[in-house]
Amino acid sequence: MISNLNNLPSGSTIEADVCIVGAGAAGVSLALSLSGRGLKILLLESGFEFADDKTQDLYAGEVADEKLHSPPDKYRQRRFGGSTTIWGGRCMPFDPIDFEPREYIPQSGWPISYQDLAPYYQQANKLLEAGVYEYDADKVFDEEQQAAIKGFKSDILKTNNLERFSCPTNVGDRYKQRLVLAKDVEVLLGANCTGIRLNQAGNHVNQLDIASLEGIKASVVAKKVILATGGIETTRLLLASNDICKNGIGNEHDLVGRYYQCHIAGNLGKLTVLGATSNVRHGYEVSLEGIYCRRRFALTADTQKKIGAGNMVARLHFPKIVDPSHKIGVLSGLFLAKNFISYEYGKRLKDGRSSFVIYLKHFANIILDPIDTVKFLYHWITKRTLAKRKFPSVILSNKSNQFTFEIHSEQYPNPNSRITLISDTDIFGMPKVKVDWQYLSEDIESVRRSLKVFVQEINQSGLATFEFNDDQLEEDLTRFGAYGGHHIGTTRMGTSPENSVVDADCKLHNIDNLYIASASVFPTSSQANPTLTIVAMSLRLADHIADTVHAGKASHSII
Amino acid sequence: MKVLILGATGHVGSRLHTHLQHANISSIAASRGRMRSNVANHIILDSMNLAELTKQLQNVDAVVNCVAGSKDAIGAGAQILTQAALAVGKPTIVHLSTMSVYGASEGVITETSPFDPDYNWYAAAKCEAEGHMQAYARAGGKVVVLRPGCIHGPGSVQWVERIANLLKTFRLGDLGSAGDGWSNLVHVDDVVKAIHFGLEIPLAAGEIQHFNLAAPDSPRWNQYFIDLAQAIDATPVKRIHPLQLKLDSKAFSPAIKISQKLLAKAKQAGLANRLPEPLPPSLVRLFKQHIFLDAQKASANLSFMTYEQSLLSSIEWLKNEQH
């Protein structure tokens, strides 16, 4: 059932067995998994089934340095479906090494292992419509015929690391009907959680305060409460609910909001493949079940340990768009269209230094490369704009065998990279957030160590050459700041209240009924985009919660 | 026990006849039309003919009603069957109904869920037929009513061959929300087993029992389409745009249907068979209908084949057919 808080009388109290705050990737997955187990589930959603500016404004806040991090109301959507309404769809699991404590990465190590998540990854993959749970490219595609670089073999630099693409699935739109028909789930739209009220002892959530923008206020009383509002908002809710715990909920040891991680990303280096252009497959392959997939370059876990580097992947990429010397009409077209592309997807097209001459050169590129530009536009319109399973990103035909690497790397957990509250408040009187994302020299040096192995392995293969500008590495990796939309680490998971905010079951250490389903519980960020793991963790949490209230498995599962 | 099977040359009827013979139950296979020399114990019988039917029922202990066809054959046919049965001492009737009696209902559907005869002509006819079965029980007869979901497995033209043809031409695939309904697939051999069970279930005079039939692990349609497509190499599976489905079912398919009828009238069956498969709007509606046929009552007495087993069996049949 889907209802609206504005249709309830002010002062109502809603009771539920489980209350989930936030109907995005985590919240919708939780509700689907918990349904059918004899529980009454309440799924609170601030927004509606459409974008609403006033609701989105509730995400406004500050950033310490806009060059390093986008404003907090970007890359996040406060509406039914959450940020899956705008995500790119890239899916891949975290690697087993991500869960291990690594002495070269301080504060690394999860209290759970990859094996604990493995069964949930399978379900998550299905929910996100990313096909079969198989991320070894050599098991999905031909090892020889569909190799990234024909003949390239290395024991330490692998190319069988796969990423799969969701449609991208908007979980609100896609699973709405399942939730509408589920008699045990109530989705309450327009319901903003404005406070988490604990008992006097501070160890139990008594109720949640909820309010609509139209002025309706109500309370929720639930046996179990799960915050699934995304990394930044979850942090905000905990810190702002400070009537009983003066530093905010779960913040006895000043950990909430700290260790904020995104990903270190950049487009760099020069890879030249020798021989025919057919020796390279840099674009998307389509698996039998119709999923766009792509090979990535990555060092083996043993190599990472040996050189003491964080987890990182690299994709074959085209030259830097902003530099017109690539002479590629399509790229120049993208550059010129950057102001018509949404903030989230246009960000990496803007570096703020483009002169009139640069614009002219881009324009000339289009004029001089009309056939490719038109071909690209046709492909883009039919395979992306009009398609329901969208072609994931811009891929150009390979004419020169020249590529860059698109790097996506783990950040070292850093307590000084953090989210805090400021005195400015939103319409509900909730303090806004300030995001102070920081990176460490270790983040850059880790990528440097990895890239040096790339250079060694690629150059000694005799099939290609690779070089990168050592002096410019930091600039290349931080030119556009933190990779947008990945909000990790601010309510980290761990073994004790001294080192973490939640335990291995995603429950706040000293509160018996408050849980978090968000990338904010990830202690480390991996090389992977977080959505698939958010969903897998949410499904795992649903099973745990069902066990704790003795609900068990669903008699009629709608997942 | 001696059993008369009405509609014995159809998909379920023919497999039932073979099954009963192997189980040493004497069965008579009745159908309209021509004599089938390859069917043991075959008789020609118009189930709409009360006198003929009454005569045949005199010799049996039970009758299985697998009659398909027009609204009349289903609705009025059931009435004639119950009249004939009442006239000859009330043999047990095992009546093959359908989940279509629940019409547009969504959610978990048990045997006591309400009917929806207004859904379409087929639902109306099947509801009417069940009404006659109910009346037969009230008059002291013994009845078992089976309501299967979509019957697949060997011989399933509707749910295997037709779907495969649509997948091969990329008119079906991954439908997204439009294919999120439950498939409620049940293997034809499980339906046959359920009929056999219905024949042997001890019933008191005037008792009627209803059973939904669907494999409990039957997936949503999208899963079935993706699995079947990969098995028949209709790959890569395509994500079908809702607009394509709409155009296909509302414009392209009606044109095919009209052409089929015209060609049939012109006695050009060969040409008609070469036309593409129609994708009627009713089918498109079914694919997105979240109807979950709860077969727990049947599961307590029967073990259903797993989805994986029944899919393999369907694929094997399909591949043999194509050869």
Side-chain angles (χ1 to χ4, degrees):
Chain A
M1 164 168 92
I2 295 188
S3 48
N4 191 317
L5 178 59
N6 289 316
N7 297 331
L8 290 180
S10 230
S12 308
T13 298
I14 309 164
E15 292 187 5
D17 291 311
V18 182
C19 176
I20 305 159
V21 187
V28 168
S29 306
L30 275 159
L32 290 172
S33 179
L34 284 168
S35 177
R37 309 199 203 211
L39 300 170
K40 187 183 174 205
I41 301 138
L42 178 67
L43 177 54
L44 301 177
E45 171 50 49
S46 159
F48 307 94
E49 291 172 53
F50 47 85
D52 175 59
D53 289 346
K54 273 191 182 166
T55 307
Q56 184 65 17
D57 283 348
L58 296 167
Y59 269 165
E62 286 182 5
V63 282
D65 183 347
E66 203 163 326
K67 274 190 181 160
L68 285 182
H69 195 285
S70 315
D73 58 343
K74 301 297 181 192
Y75 290 98
R76 300 199 291 158
Q77 288 289 301
R78 197 162 166 137
R79 57 185 285 200
F80 184 55
S83 301
T84 65
T85 54
I86 57 162
W87 76 306
R90 185 174 275 132
C91 291
M92 82 282 303
F94 278 29
D95 299 310
I97 192 175
D98 293 319
F99 298 86
E100 296 170 11
R102 292 160 283 170
E103 82 285 351
Y104 51 91
I105 300 183
Q107 314 288 340
S108 62
W110 295 41
I112 61 171
S113 70
Y114 172 82
Q115 286 309 324
D116 292 322
L117 263 193
Y120 299 102
Y121 267 133
Q122 305 220 1
Q123 266 186 321
N125 222 52
K126 207 168 161 187
L127 265 185
L128 292 175
E129 301 181 286
V132 182
Y133 184 72
E134 179 55 78
Y135 283 85
D136 179 346
D138 291 340
K139 290 189 176 153
V140 182
F141 300 105
D142 191 283
E143 202 175 335
E144 306 294 333
Q145 298 304 314
Q146 292 168 297
I149 298 172
K150 207 170 201 167
F152 180 80
K153 291 265 188 294
S154 160
D155 290 336
I156 56 180
L157 175 59
K158 295 290 181 189
T159 58
N160 65 334
N161 193 307
L162 196 70
E163 59 188 25
R164 293 173 163 265
F165 281 81
S166 169
C167 291
T169 301
N170 166 351
V171 296
D173 205 30
R174 178 67 181 80
Y175 299 114
K176 179 187 159 189
Q177 192 60 10
R178 296 193 193 183
L179 296 172
V180 166
L181 290 168
K183 291 196 173 110
D184 51 358
V185 178
E186 179 179 3
V187 181
L188 191 63
L189 300 176
N192 299 278
C193 180
T194 56
I196 304 162
R197 302 291 158 225
L198 301 184
N199 62 2
Q200 278 306 316
N203 58 11
H204 181 84
V205 178
N206 275 349
Q207 69 170 58
L208 299 178
D209 296 340
I210 58 172
S212 76
L213 284 170
E214 279 73 10
I216 303 291
K217 289 186 175 176
S219 307
V220 173
V221 175
K223 288 179 193 150
K224 303 281 177 186
V225 173
I226 309 168
L227 303 181
T229 48
I232 296 176
E233 208 60 14
T234 297
T235 306
R236 181 185 180 193
L237 266 171
L238 292 179
L239 291 175
S241 302
N242 59 357
D243 52 345
I244 301 289
C245 305
K246 293 302 164 205
N247 296 328
I249 295 173
N251 200 26
E252 300 88 337
H253 297 276
D254 191 22
L255 291 168
V256 176
R258 292 192 182 271
Y259 297 101
Y260 178 52
Q261 298 147 74
C262 302
H263 283 101
I264 295 287
N267 195 10
L268 53 82
K270 187 175 169 191
L271 175 84
T272 307
V273 180
L274 309 175
T277 53
S278 59
N279 287 349
V280 190
R281 291 178 82 98
H282 66 299
Y284 294 102
E285 307 284 352
V286 181
S287 69
L288 290 180
E289 74 273 32
I291 311 298
Y292 289 112
C293 300
R294 199 175 179 192
R295 284 178 184 269
R296 294 122 33 102
F297 290 69
L299 298 179
T300 62
D302 284 345
T303 311
Q304 289 177 38
K305 287 177 189 168
K306 198 171 154 194
I307 64 169
N311 206 351
M312 181 192 105
V313 290
R315 293 177 278 263
L316 290 177
H317 207 62
F318 41 69
K320 284 175 204 157
I321 294 178
V322 289
D323 178 357
S325 65
H326 51 62
K327 295 199 166 65
I328 299 172
V330 175
L331 293 186
S332 290
L334 276 174
F335 176 81
L336 295 178
K338 62 187 177 181
N339 293 327
F340 301 100
I341 299 172
S342 71
Y343 176 90
E344 286 79 5
Y345 290 95
K347 186 167 186 279
R348 284 176 183 260
L349 301 174
K350 299 171 188 171
D351 69 355
R353 289 180 305 179
S354 308
S355 65
F356 180 68
V357 178
I358 297 269
Y359 276 91
L360 263 186
K361 283 184 176 171
H362 278 296
F363 190 69
N365 283 348
I366 297 176
I367 302 287
L368 296 171
D369 190 15
I371 294 172
D372 250 23
T373 309
V374 169
K375 262 166 57 184
F376 169 82
L377 278 176
Y378 175 77
H379 182 261
W380 193 252
I381 289 168
T382 53
K383 298 290 182 189
R384 184 167 173 103
T385 313
L386 298 177
K388 280 290 171 186
R389 183 170 285 283
K390 295 187 181 298
F391 193 78
S393 69
V394 174
I395 296 288
L396 304 171
S397 53
N398 168 27
K399 289 176 184 164
S400 61
N401 267 0
Q402 304 265 343
F403 300 92
T404 61
F405 268 127
E406 189 185 23
I407 304 294
H408 197 255
S409 178
E410 173 174 22
Q411 269 198 274
Y412 282 49
N414 171 11
N416 297 325
S417 175
R418 64 186 298 202
I419 291 165
T420 51
L421 299 184
I422 54 175
S423 55
D424 193 13
T425 58
D426 68 13
I427 199 167
F428 295 115
M430 292 267 293
K432 294 182 178 178
V433 291
K434 178 180 175 184
V435 179
D436 183 6
W437 177 80
Q438 296 182 20
Y439 65 93
L440 295 169
S441 59
E442 286 91 325
D443 297 338
I444 309 299
E445 294 316 308
S446 169
V447 174
R448 195 188 310 278
R449 283 194 290 280
S450 297
L451 285 176
K452 284 186 173 165
V453 180
F454 274 54
V455 170
Q456 168 201 307
E457 289 301 294
I458 291 171
N459 289 345
Q460 79 182 25
S461 74
L463 300 166
T465 60
F466 176 59
E467 59 184 8
F468 70 97
N469 188 338
D470 223 352
D471 301 333
Q472 205 185 296
L473 184 62
E474 181 167 357
E475 193 193 331
D476 282 342
L477 290 172
T478 57
R479 183 171 291 119
F480 300 103
Y483 198 86
H486 304 171
H487 309 133
I488 297 166
T490 48
T491 64
R492 64 202 327 260
M493 177 190 262
T495 49
S496 76
E498 287 75 29
N499 65 20
S500 55
V501 179
V502 300
D503 64 16
D505 296 318
C506 299
K507 186 181 80 61
L508 272 87
H509 284 294
N510 295 324
I511 300 176
D512 64 4
N513 65 339
L514 183 59
Y515 298 80
I516 295 176
S518 157
S520 63
V521 304
F522 303 175
T524 49
S525 54
S526 174
Q527 46 72 22
N529 295 41
T531 307
L532 182 70
T533 304
I534 292 171
V535 173
M537 291 281 282
S538 303
L539 298 174
R540 176 176 172 269
L541 175 58
D543 270 359
H544 171 74
I545 288 197
D547 282 348
T548 59
V549 294
H550 308 293
K553 293 272 173 220
S555 60
H556 168 63
S557 173
I558 58 167
I559 203 160
Chain B
M1 183 172 23
K2 204 166 179 189
V3 180
L4 176 70
I5 305 169
L6 302 177
T9 51
H11 180 212
V12 176
S14 58
R15 281 186 90 87
L16 173 68
H17 185 46
T18 311
H19 168 86
L20 291 181
Q21 284 177 327
H22 287 153
N24 288 325
I25 293 174
S26 166
S27 60
I28 304 161
S31 68
R32 285 184 310 168
R34 61 186 173 82
M35 191 65 203
R36 308 289 182 107
S37 54
N38 56 341
V39 179
N41 291 341
H42 181 250
I43 58 163
I44 294 177
L45 173 66
D46 179 1
S47 58
M48 301 294 280
N49 185 323
L50 179 62
E52 265 186 55
L53 188 57
T54 310
K55 191 177 147 203
Q56 287 301 331
L57 285 183
Q58 279 166 351
N59 306 319
V60 298
D61 308 299
V63 54
V64 181
N65 184 19
C66 301
V67 172
S70 67
K71 184 178 187 311
D72 271 357
I74 295 166
Q79 186 176 23
I80 292 164
L81 171 61
T82 54
Q83 279 174 352
L86 282 174
V88 296
K90 301 172 191 166
T92 299
I93 300 179
V94 177
H95 172 72
L96 201 59
S97 185
T98 165
M99 75 166 188
S100 294
V101 292
Y102 304 116
S105 306
E106 292 194 299
V108 179
I109 301 295
T110 66
E111 286 82 356
T112 54
S113 296
F115 280 10
D116 181 12
D118 298 331
Y119 186 58
N120 58 20
W121 73 266
Y122 184 63
K126 283 294 201 180
C127 286
E128 186 198 333
E130 281 214 29
H132 295 308
M133 294 302 146
Q134 205 73 42
Y136 180 64
R138 280 197 300 274
K142 301 172 184 176
V143 188
V144 173
V145 175
L146 304 173
R147 295 177 189 144
C150 298
I151 304 174
H152 76 152
S156 175
V157 174
Q158 266 194 311
W159 303 112
V160 180
E161 192 174 83
R162 169 174 62 168
I163 301 293
N165 288 339
L166 289 165
L167 288 168
K168 272 185 219 155
T169 46
F170 298 100
R171 290 165 61 203
L172 281 184
D174 175 3
L175 308 187
S177 305
D180 209 27
W182 294 102
S183 62
N184 296 304
L185 292 172
V186 54
H187 193 277
V188 63
D189 290 346
D190 285 340
V191 177
V192 165
K193 270 196 310 197
I195 296 172
H196 187 170
F197 163 76
L199 287 169
E200 293 184 337
I201 193 172
L203 295 175
E207 189 178 346
I208 182 164
Q209 290 284 345
H210 303 89
F211 296 93
N212 288 338
L213 299 178
D217 65 346
S218 194
R220 293 178 190 270
W221 284 110
N222 282 331
Q223 190 64 54
Y224 178 51
F225 296 156
I226 292 168
D227 292 342
L228 187 59
Q230 289 188 83
I232 59 170
D233 297 327
T235 54
V237 180
K238 199 177 147 198
R239 177 77 169 214
I240 308 292
H241 198 288
L243 195 63
Q244 180 188 326
L245 266 187
K246 205 171 185 176
L247 279 172
D248 195 335
S249 62
K250 302 229 161 131
F252 184 53
S253 292
I256 300 170
K257 203 81 196 160
I258 291 166
S259 310
Q260 275 178 341
K261 282 187 177 163
L262 289 175
L263 287 169
K265 268 195 179 168
K267 298 209 165 29
Q268 296 290 327
L271 271 180
N273 285 339
R274 276 159 55 191
L275 286 173
E277 199 80 63
L279 176 60
S282 59
L283 203 55
V284 174
R285 273 200 302 277
L286 178 70
F287 294 154
K288 66 175 177 193
Q289 187 183 352
H290 289 243
I291 177 170
F292 184 88
L293 204 57
D294 184 337
Q296 282 188 62
K297 190 179 166 191
S299 296
N301 302 290
L302 298 164
S303 62
F304 286 94
M305 280 168 82
T306 63
Y307 166 63
E308 202 182 332
Q309 288 168 333
S310 55
L311 180 71
L312 284 174
S313 147
S314 296
I315 294 162
E316 196 187 334
W317 168 75
L318 193 64
K319 288 189 172 163
N320 287 337
E321 276 290 286
Q322 284 163 344
H323 292 142

